Amino acid sequence: MAETDTLRAAMIEAAERQLASSSDHEIATRAVCEAVGVSQPVLYRLFGDKRGLLDAVADHGYERYAALKAAQEQTGDPVADLHAGWDGHMAFARANPALYQLMFTPRPWSHSTARDRVMDLLVAALTRCAAVGALKLEPRTAAQLILSANIGTALDHIARPALFEDPALSHRMRDAVFSHVLTETSARQDADPLRTAALRLRAQLQLGGTDALEPAETALLQRWLERIAQP
């Protein structure tokens, strides 16, 4: 089993190196096998086919992405951390353009979970924002808006760098999206305090839970808060 895992990891790394060095961001399964010193039937046994190998490379890319996110210092200000998270996402795209395109460009046949798992990381970051009253929307809705903008900006920069070379463009996009999902510091007590309180309490329950309620009671409270928080 350990030997199989080692071989699988070696083939993923070989495919990623080939992906990064290829002018068209493609891989050849024969070249991957030759780099590791195995026959193509081994690749088919471990990954099913070329698509399976590419999915494995994309998921390995997520592990690298998640490690960078984990290494990012988490401060007491979740909004500042969210800003840093956007910049970290852009830095990952610039440093790994071929891998980034594989992870985030829609592929109808793909079974990779990389994009969904990145979404989950962002939802967790936004739940922290909601817990301090800094979020206008449900964390997952806000995450859908932010991730779509972040990915679109990054992919455009990779595909057409001359057109999107302005270093301030990323921050302009970030600020435009964040203004839609985040409250202003001076407006944390907004015109709908009940909805704001529901968003905040729901996020705090998701982050820390409570021993004061039974699980069924907590689930019911979460459902009530979800309904109150809906715009």
Side-chain angles (χ1 to χ4, degrees), residues 134-168:
L135 204 61
K136 296 178 183 177
L137 308 173
E138 281 287 323
R140 184 157 291 276
T141 301
Q144 290 169 340
L145 293 171
I146 292 172
L147 191 59
S148 295
N150 214 172
I151 291 172
T153 302
L155 288 176
D156 280 340
H157 181 78
I158 291 169
R160 305 186 71 182
L163 188 61
F164 294 92
E165 63 182 354
D166 181 358

Short mmCIF file of all heavy atoms in Angstrom, two decimals, residues 134-168:
data_model
loop_
_atom_site.label_atom_id
_atom_site.label_comp_id
_atom_site.label_asym_id
_atom_site.label_seq_id
_atom_site.Cartn_x
_atom_site.Cartn_y
_atom_site.Cartn_z
N ALA A 134 -19.81 41.58 10.33
CA ALA A 134 -19.21 42.28 9.19
C ALA A 134 -19.75 41.82 7.85
O ALA A 134 -19.26 42.27 6.81
CB ALA A 134 -17.69 42.10 9.23
N LEU A 135 -20.74 40.94 7.83
CA LEU A 135 -21.20 40.35 6.58
C LEU A 135 -22.66 40.71 6.32
O LEU A 135 -23.50 40.60 7.22
CB LEU A 135 -21.03 38.83 6.64
CG LEU A 135 -20.91 38.09 5.30
CD1 LEU A 135 -19.69 38.57 4.52
CD2 LEU A 135 -20.82 36.59 5.53
N LYS A 136 -22.95 41.13 5.08
CA LYS A 136 -24.33 41.47 4.70
C LYS A 136 -25.12 40.25 4.26
O LYS A 136 -26.36 40.25 4.31
CB LYS A 136 -24.33 42.47 3.54
CG LYS A 136 -23.71 43.81 3.82
CD LYS A 136 -23.74 44.66 2.55
CE LYS A 136 -23.07 46.00 2.71
NZ LYS A 136 -23.04 46.77 1.44
N LEU A 137 -24.43 39.21 3.76
CA LEU A 137 -25.09 38.06 3.15
C LEU A 137 -24.75 36.80 3.92
O LEU A 137 -23.85 36.78 4.77
CB LEU A 137 -24.61 37.90 1.70
CG LEU A 137 -24.72 39.13 0.79
CD1 LEU A 137 -24.05 38.84 -0.55
CD2 LEU A 137 -26.17 39.52 0.59
N GLU A 138 -25.44 35.71 3.60
CA GLU A 138 -25.06 34.40 4.13
C GLU A 138 -23.64 34.08 3.66
O GLU A 138 -23.27 34.40 2.51
CB GLU A 138 -26.02 33.33 3.62
CG GLU A 138 -27.34 33.28 4.36
CD GLU A 138 -27.20 32.68 5.75
OE1 GLU A 138 -26.40 31.74 5.92
OE2 GLU A 138 -27.88 33.17 6.66
N PRO A 139 -22.83 33.44 4.50
CA PRO A 139 -21.44 33.16 4.11
C PRO A 139 -21.28 32.44 2.78
O PRO A 139 -20.41 32.79 1.98
CB PRO A 139 -20.92 32.32 5.28
CG PRO A 139 -21.69 32.81 6.46
CD PRO A 139 -23.07 33.11 5.92
N ARG A 140 -22.13 31.45 2.49
CA ARG A 140 -21.97 30.71 1.24
C ARG A 140 -22.33 31.57 0.03
O ARG A 140 -21.66 31.49 -1.01
CB ARG A 140 -22.79 29.41 1.25
CG ARG A 140 -22.58 28.55 0.00
CD ARG A 140 -22.92 27.10 0.25
NE ARG A 140 -21.97 26.46 1.15
CZ ARG A 140 -20.81 25.93 0.76
NH1 ARG A 140 -20.44 25.98 -0.50
NH2 ARG A 140 -20.02 25.36 1.64
N THR A 141 -23.35 32.40 0.14
CA THR A 141 -23.69 33.30 -0.95
C THR A 141 -22.56 34.30 -1.21
O THR A 141 -22.17 34.55 -2.35
CB THR A 141 -24.99 34.07 -0.63
OG1 THR A 141 -26.05 33.13 -0.41
CG2 THR A 141 -25.37 35.00 -1.78
N ALA A 142 -22.02 34.85 -0.12
CA ALA A 142 -20.90 35.77 -0.25
C ALA A 142 -19.69 35.08 -0.87
O ALA A 142 -18.98 35.65 -1.70
CB ALA A 142 -20.53 36.35 1.12
N ALA A 143 -19.47 33.82 -0.47
CA ALA A 143 -18.33 33.06 -1.01
C ALA A 143 -18.49 32.83 -2.51
O ALA A 143 -17.51 32.89 -3.26
CB ALA A 143 -18.21 31.73 -0.28
N GLN A 144 -19.70 32.57 -2.96
CA GLN A 144 -19.93 32.36 -4.40
C GLN A 144 -19.57 33.61 -5.19
O GLN A 144 -18.94 33.53 -6.25
CB GLN A 144 -21.40 31.98 -4.63
CG GLN A 144 -21.76 30.59 -4.14
CD GLN A 144 -23.26 30.35 -4.13
OE1 GLN A 144 -24.06 31.29 -4.14
NE2 GLN A 144 -23.66 29.09 -4.12
N LEU A 145 -19.94 34.77 -4.67
CA LEU A 145 -19.63 36.03 -5.36
C LEU A 145 -18.12 36.29 -5.37
O LEU A 145 -17.54 36.63 -6.40
CB LEU A 145 -20.37 37.19 -4.68
CG LEU A 145 -21.89 37.18 -4.79
CD1 LEU A 145 -22.49 38.26 -3.89
CD2 LEU A 145 -22.31 37.42 -6.24
N ILE A 146 -17.50 36.13 -4.21
CA ILE A 146 -16.07 36.44 -4.08
C ILE A 146 -15.23 35.48 -4.90
O ILE A 146 -14.32 35.90 -5.64
CB ILE A 146 -15.65 36.43 -2.60
CG1 ILE A 146 -16.29 37.59 -1.85
CG2 ILE A 146 -14.12 36.50 -2.48
CD1 ILE A 146 -16.08 37.54 -0.35
N LEU A 147 -15.51 34.18 -4.79
CA LEU A 147 -14.68 33.20 -5.49
C LEU A 147 -14.82 33.35 -7.01
O LEU A 147 -13.83 33.24 -7.74
CB LEU A 147 -15.04 31.78 -5.06
CG LEU A 147 -14.07 30.69 -5.52
CD1 LEU A 147 -12.66 30.95 -5.01
CD2 LEU A 147 -14.54 29.31 -5.06
N SER A 148 -16.02 33.62 -7.48
CA SER A 148 -16.22 33.83 -8.92
C SER A 148 -15.38 35.01 -9.41
O SER A 148 -14.73 34.93 -10.46
CB SER A 148 -17.69 34.08 -9.23
OG SER A 148 -18.47 32.94 -8.94
N ALA A 149 -15.37 36.09 -8.65
CA ALA A 149 -14.59 37.27 -9.04
C ALA A 149 -13.09 37.01 -8.94
O ALA A 149 -12.32 37.40 -9.82
CB ALA A 149 -14.97 38.45 -8.15
N ASN A 150 -12.68 36.34 -7.88
CA ASN A 150 -11.26 36.03 -7.67
C ASN A 150 -10.72 35.13 -8.78
O ASN A 150 -9.67 35.38 -9.37
CB ASN A 150 -11.10 35.35 -6.31
CG ASN A 150 -9.81 35.70 -5.60
OD1 ASN A 150 -9.63 35.35 -4.44
ND2 ASN A 150 -8.89 36.37 -6.26
N ILE A 151 -11.48 34.07 -9.10
CA ILE A 151 -11.06 33.14 -10.15
C ILE A 151 -11.06 33.83 -11.51
O ILE A 151 -10.11 33.68 -12.30
CB ILE A 151 -11.98 31.91 -10.18
CG1 ILE A 151 -11.76 31.04 -8.91
CG2 ILE A 151 -11.74 31.07 -11.43
CD1 ILE A 151 -12.75 29.91 -8.77
N GLY A 152 -12.10 34.59 -11.80
CA GLY A 152 -12.17 35.27 -13.09
C GLY A 152 -11.01 36.23 -13.29
O GLY A 152 -10.39 36.27 -14.37
N THR A 153 -10.68 36.99 -12.26
CA THR A 153 -9.57 37.92 -12.35
C THR A 153 -8.26 37.18 -12.56
O THR A 153 -7.43 37.57 -13.39
CB THR A 153 -9.49 38.78 -11.07
OG1 THR A 153 -10.72 39.47 -10.88
CG2 THR A 153 -8.37 39.80 -11.15
N ALA A 154 -8.07 36.09 -11.81
CA ALA A 154 -6.83 35.32 -11.92
C ALA A 154 -6.68 34.67 -13.29
O ALA A 154 -5.62 34.70 -13.90
CB ALA A 154 -6.77 34.27 -10.82
N LEU A 155 -7.76 34.06 -13.78
CA LEU A 155 -7.70 33.39 -15.09
C LEU A 155 -7.46 34.39 -16.22
O LEU A 155 -6.72 34.10 -17.17
CB LEU A 155 -8.99 32.60 -15.33
CG LEU A 155 -9.18 31.32 -14.51
CD1 LEU A 155 -10.54 30.70 -14.79
CD2 LEU A 155 -8.07 30.30 -14.81
N ASP A 156 -8.07 35.57 -16.12
CA ASP A 156 -7.84 36.59 -17.14
C ASP A 156 -6.37 37.04 -17.13
O ASP A 156 -5.76 37.25 -18.19
CB ASP A 156 -8.75 37.80 -16.90
CG ASP A 156 -10.16 37.57 -17.41
OD1 ASP A 156 -10.35 36.68 -18.26
OD2 ASP A 156 -11.08 38.27 -16.96
N HIS A 157 -5.82 37.19 -15.94
CA HIS A 157 -4.42 37.61 -15.83
C HIS A 157 -3.49 36.56 -16.44
O HIS A 157 -2.50 36.90 -17.09
CB HIS A 157 -4.06 37.84 -14.37
CG HIS A 157 -2.65 38.30 -14.16
ND1 HIS A 157 -2.25 39.60 -14.39
CD2 HIS A 157 -1.54 37.62 -13.79
CE1 HIS A 157 -0.94 39.70 -14.15
NE2 HIS A 157 -0.49 38.52 -13.78
N ILE A 158 -3.82 35.27 -16.22
CA ILE A 158 -2.98 34.19 -16.77
C ILE A 158 -3.12 34.13 -18.29
O ILE A 158 -2.13 34.01 -19.02
CB ILE A 158 -3.39 32.84 -16.15
CG1 ILE A 158 -3.01 32.80 -14.67
CG2 ILE A 158 -2.73 31.68 -16.90
CD1 ILE A 158 -3.59 31.62 -13.91
N ALA A 159 -4.36 34.20 -18.78
CA ALA A 159 -4.62 34.01 -20.20
C ALA A 159 -4.18 35.21 -21.05
O ALA A 159 -3.68 35.03 -22.17
CB ALA A 159 -6.10 33.72 -20.43
N ARG A 160 -4.38 36.42 -20.53
CA ARG A 160 -4.07 37.62 -21.31
C ARG A 160 -3.36 38.65 -20.42
O ARG A 160 -3.91 39.70 -20.09
CB ARG A 160 -5.34 38.21 -21.90
CG ARG A 160 -6.15 37.21 -22.73
CD ARG A 160 -7.34 37.83 -23.42
NE ARG A 160 -6.93 38.71 -24.50
CZ ARG A 160 -7.80 39.43 -25.25
NH1 ARG A 160 -9.08 39.34 -25.02
NH2 ARG A 160 -7.36 40.21 -26.21
N PRO A 161 -2.14 38.34 -20.03
CA PRO A 161 -1.42 39.22 -19.08
C PRO A 161 -1.22 40.64 -19.60
O PRO A 161 -1.24 41.59 -18.81
CB PRO A 161 -0.07 38.50 -18.89
CG PRO A 161 0.06 37.59 -20.07
CD PRO A 161 -1.32 37.18 -20.42
N ALA A 162 -1.04 40.81 -20.90
CA ALA A 162 -0.84 42.16 -21.43
C ALA A 162 -2.08 43.03 -21.25
O ALA A 162 -1.99 44.24 -21.03
CB ALA A 162 -0.47 42.08 -22.92
N LEU A 163 -3.24 42.41 -21.35
CA LEU A 163 -4.50 43.14 -21.21
C LEU A 163 -4.84 43.41 -19.75
O LEU A 163 -5.50 44.39 -19.43
CB LEU A 163 -5.64 42.35 -21.88
CG LEU A 163 -7.00 43.05 -22.00
CD1 LEU A 163 -6.88 44.32 -22.84
CD2 LEU A 163 -8.01 42.10 -22.63
N PHE A 164 -4.37 42.54 -18.87
CA PHE A 164 -4.72 42.66 -17.45
C PHE A 164 -3.46 42.87 -16.60
O PHE A 164 -3.32 42.30 -15.52
CB PHE A 164 -5.46 41.40 -16.99
CG PHE A 164 -6.81 41.21 -17.64
CD1 PHE A 164 -6.93 40.48 -18.81
CD2 PHE A 164 -7.94 41.80 -17.10
CE1 PHE A 164 -8.16 40.32 -19.42
CE2 PHE A 164 -9.18 41.65 -17.71
CZ PHE A 164 -9.29 40.91 -18.87
N GLU A 165 -2.53 43.68 -17.12
CA GLU A 165 -1.25 43.86 -16.45
C GLU A 165 -1.30 44.88 -15.31
O GLU A 165 -0.39 44.95 -14.49
CB GLU A 165 -0.18 44.29 -17.46
CG GLU A 165 -0.47 45.64 -18.11
CD GLU A 165 0.57 46.02 -19.14
OE1 GLU A 165 1.57 45.27 -19.25
OE2 GLU A 165 0.40 47.04 -19.84
N ASP A 166 -2.34 45.72 -15.28
CA ASP A 166 -2.44 46.74 -14.24
C ASP A 166 -2.46 46.07 -12.86
O ASP A 166 -3.39 45.35 -12.52
CB ASP A 166 -3.73 47.54 -14.44
CG ASP A 166 -3.89 48.66 -13.40
OD1 ASP A 166 -3.02 48.77 -12.53
OD2 ASP A 166 -4.89 49.39 -13.48
N PRO A 167 -1.43 46.30 -12.02
CA PRO A 167 -1.38 45.64 -10.71
C PRO A 167 -2.51 46.05 -9.78
O PRO A 167 -2.82 45.35 -8.82
CB PRO A 167 -0.01 46.06 -10.16
CG PRO A 167 0.33 47.31 -10.90
CD PRO A 167 -0.26 47.16 -12.26
N ALA A 168 -3.13 47.19 -10.06
CA ALA A 168 -4.22 47.67 -9.20
C ALA A 168 -5.55 47.04 -9.57
O ALA A 168 -6.53 47.15 -8.81
CB ALA A 168 -4.33 49.19 -9.28
#
